[in-house]
Amino acid sequence: MDNTTNSTIEKKALSRVPMEQRQSWYSIAFIWIGTMICIPMLMVGGLLSASMSFGNVLLACFLGFAICSILMIMVGMQGTDLGLPSSMCGTKAFGDRGSSYLLSVSIFIGQMGWFGIQTATCATAFITLMEYWNIRFPFWLSCLIWGAVMLVTAVYGFKLMKWLNYIAVPALIAMCLYGMIHAITTTGWSNVMAVKPDPDNTMGLAPAVSMVIGLFAVGATTNPDYTRYAKSRGATVMATVLGVIPAAVLMFMVGSVMSLSAGTYDITSVFASMGLPVLSMLVLILATWTTNTGNAYTSGMAAMKVFNLKDERRPLVTMLCGAAGTVMAMAGMADAMQGFINIISALVPPIMGVVIADYWILGRGDPGKWQPVRGFNWCGIIAWACGCAVALFFSFFSPALDAVVVSAVAYLVLCPLLGKGTMGGQGEITLDEIEANLK
């Protein structure tokens, strides 16, 4: 997995992944399943169940993640074709420097922020569970411990992440199913389904689908970070579809049923109310671990491009990103979660629109026609800004999805008009040159 044969720590970062280092589709799928099984997914499933019927919760989940999966497949197959991570896949649409300063910085901030939020969530859950046994535990220490635990896996890279999820995913699925069955057995299926949404707080299907898309749009953008290890486009499709949609629907189902049974969507309180403290601790911590490892890994990949560092520095950079995210957790990042999500959901998804339009529409999905551009490709940057503006101020359905569509259309309009001059970059540059210039 790395540049040496005797090291267990992944060193592959910005350079191309050769075919002999590619992995099975199910190893990538397991990483995405582990990412899907997380506290926010359970909580959103519970939150929606308070505003709409159980059937509509599952339908909104399926539709939202199906849309996300389509976008993930398109950017993911580019990563597979080129053997490159997301930050490098944008070096044509945004230019080499534009990819460093816009695409990579956006992903870096987004994923590092998510690491801080997830670490704080895990730390809070751990403290709540310790209080169940009358043990007082300081928040900062809980953040420090669990941030470090989750960071270790990301530092070692894809190989250890793969094995973590091979072990954790079956256990998490079994524990979540047990929790759901316990809730049904205790409350009764008919009683759970008899709970009606608050008439003053109902939500339609379209807003619910929009919420689902916004929840995962940032993570979807980073799919090439994993699919660069896929052996073929078909493997990318299987890893994405089977890794995302079934796990997402299952988590929404579990969160919805357990919340309807307990009368609250605070998943920590839900588990605690069931009198299952050990199960609660295992699910909440293990679910956060499998998800947060990916946040640290992808933020480290983006940071590598921001500073154009050599592959061998990936473990150190990932460690620093995770450490910064842990400090953000201790500083109260979770308290600003809603504002952070709103901003990042507007800044990151338009990247997908520009990259998809460039590779699949203008380039017709032919890797032979793809060539990085020197400097800044202002066509991509302006198109990205248009998508951001729509998401922030003029959204007509889902801010994240609207941003993808508008940025793609804007790029297709701008390229024929401005792309042939300096606005389209300062000429082509080969991947060999980029890799040779890494510090």
Side-chain angles (χ1 to χ4, degrees):
M1 188 63 58
D2 46 38
N3 293 340
T4 63
T5 58
N6 59 352
S7 174
T8 58
I9 299 180
E10 179 190 356
K11 300 290 180 64
K12 185 67 67 178
L14 301 183
S15 58
R16 287 161 286 186
V17 176
M19 191 55 66
E20 62 269 18
Q21 293 184 17
R22 302 295 178 100
Q23 301 290 305
S24 61
W25 69 266
Y26 56 82
S27 65
I28 301 170
F30 264 81
I31 289 178
W32 276 122
I33 294 172
T35 301
M36 292 294 100
I37 303 176
C38 61
I39 297 173
M41 294 283 286
L42 293 169
M43 292 183 70
V44 172
L47 177 64
L48 289 179
S49 68
S51 306
M52 58 198 313
S53 68
F54 179 70
N56 280 343
V57 170
L58 300 186
L59 180 59
C61 173
F62 175 80
L63 292 175
F65 279 99
I67 292 171
C68 285
S69 294
I70 292 172
L71 298 175
M72 289 176 69
I73 287 169
M74 297 183 79
V75 295
M77 285 197 292
Q78 181 183 357
T80 301
D81 291 348
L82 305 174
L84 294 173
S86 53
S87 56
M88 288 295 292
C89 286
T91 51
K92 181 176 184 293
F94 294 99
D96 184 39
R97 293 180 66 189
S99 179
S100 295
Y101 300 138
L102 189 153
L103 185 157
S104 300
V105 168
S106 298
I107 294 176
F108 164 65
I109 293 173
Q111 295 301 86
M112 186 173 67
W114 268 117
F115 184 89
I117 290 171
Q118 293 269 27
T119 298
T121 303
C122 180
T124 302
F126 181 72
I127 292 171
T128 301
L129 293 167
M130 289 297 98
E131 290 175 351
Y132 184 85
W133 289 300
N134 296 319
I135 300 174
R136 298 181 63 85
F137 208 88
F139 175 73
W140 68 268
L141 182 57
S142 185
C143 286
L144 189 62
I145 291 173
W146 293 111
V149 168
M150 292 180 282
L151 182 57
V152 169
T153 320
V155 168
Y156 271 83
F158 188 99
K159 188 174 183 179
L160 189 56
M161 290 168 63
K162 175 181 70 176
W163 282 106
L164 167 66
N165 285 280
Y166 281 164
I167 297 170
V169 163
L172 280 169
I173 291 175
M175 288 186 287
C176 286
L177 287 175
Y178 176 79
M180 183 174 69
I181 293 170
H182 185 278
I184 294 172
T185 303
T186 303
T187 307
W189 177 253
S190 59
N191 291 329
V192 171
M193 292 297 101
V195 178
K196 301 297 182 183
D198 183 353
D200 297 325
N201 190 36
T202 57
M203 180 182 294
L205 184 61
V209 172
S210 173
M211 178 186 291
V212 172
I213 294 172
L215 175 69
F216 192 56
V218 176
T221 309
T222 64
N223 199 26
D225 289 351
Y226 304 122
T227 60
R228 62 193 175 126
Y229 284 109
K231 296 178 180 180
S232 65
R233 288 181 174 183
T236 294
V237 173
M238 293 183 67
T240 303
V241 173
L242 298 181
V244 171
I245 296 178
V249 173
L250 175 63
M251 287 301 99
F252 270 58
M253 182 187 299
V254 171
S256 181
V257 168
M258 293 181 67
S259 296
L260 289 171
S261 174
T264 176
Y265 63 84
D266 182 341
I267 207 66
T268 305
S269 300
V270 170
F271 273 108
S273 68
M274 292 167 56
L276 302 170
V278 176
L279 178 65
S280 302
M281 182 171 65
L282 288 175
V283 170
L284 297 175
I285 291 174
L286 198 56
T288 305
W289 187 2
T290 57
T291 302
N292 227 14
T293 290
N295 292 331
Y297 180 79
T298 52
S299 68
M301 294 295 297
M304 289 289 293
K305 178 56 180 166
V306 173
F307 300 105
N308 283 325
L309 301 174
K310 286 186 176 180
D311 284 1
E312 63 191 29
R313 299 190 181 183
R314 190 209 65 81
L316 175 61
V317 172
T318 302
M319 186 182 300
L320 293 174
C321 290
T326 302
V327 171
M328 292 169 68
M330 291 188 285
M333 181 67 188
D335 296 333
M337 181 174 68
Q338 188 57 55
F340 169 80
I341 292 175
N342 290 340
I343 294 174
I344 292 300
S345 294
L347 296 180
V348 177
I351 293 170
M352 279 195 292
V354 174
V355 172
I356 288 171
D358 179 76
Y359 189 76
W360 290 103
I361 300 178
L362 296 183
R364 300 183 182 277
D366 183 358
K369 296 180 180 179
W370 186 89
Q371 192 72 35
V373 173
R374 297 180 190 274
F376 297 89
N377 183 345
W378 290 102
C379 296
I381 294 171
I382 295 171
W384 168 83
C386 291
C388 292
V390 168
L392 290 171
F393 307 111
F394 309 108
S395 177
F396 44 88
F397 172 58
S398 164
L401 184 59
D402 297 345
V404 172
V405 174
V406 170
S407 61
V409 172
Y411 186 75
L412 294 175
V413 171
L414 290 169
C415 273
L417 297 176
L418 306 173
K420 295 182 180 179
T422 56
M423 292 290 286
Q426 286 73 55
E428 294 182 344
I429 181 174
T430 67
L431 285 172
D432 290 335
E433 290 179 85
I434 294 177
E435 292 175 357
N437 290 331
L438 297 177
K439 298 175 184 178

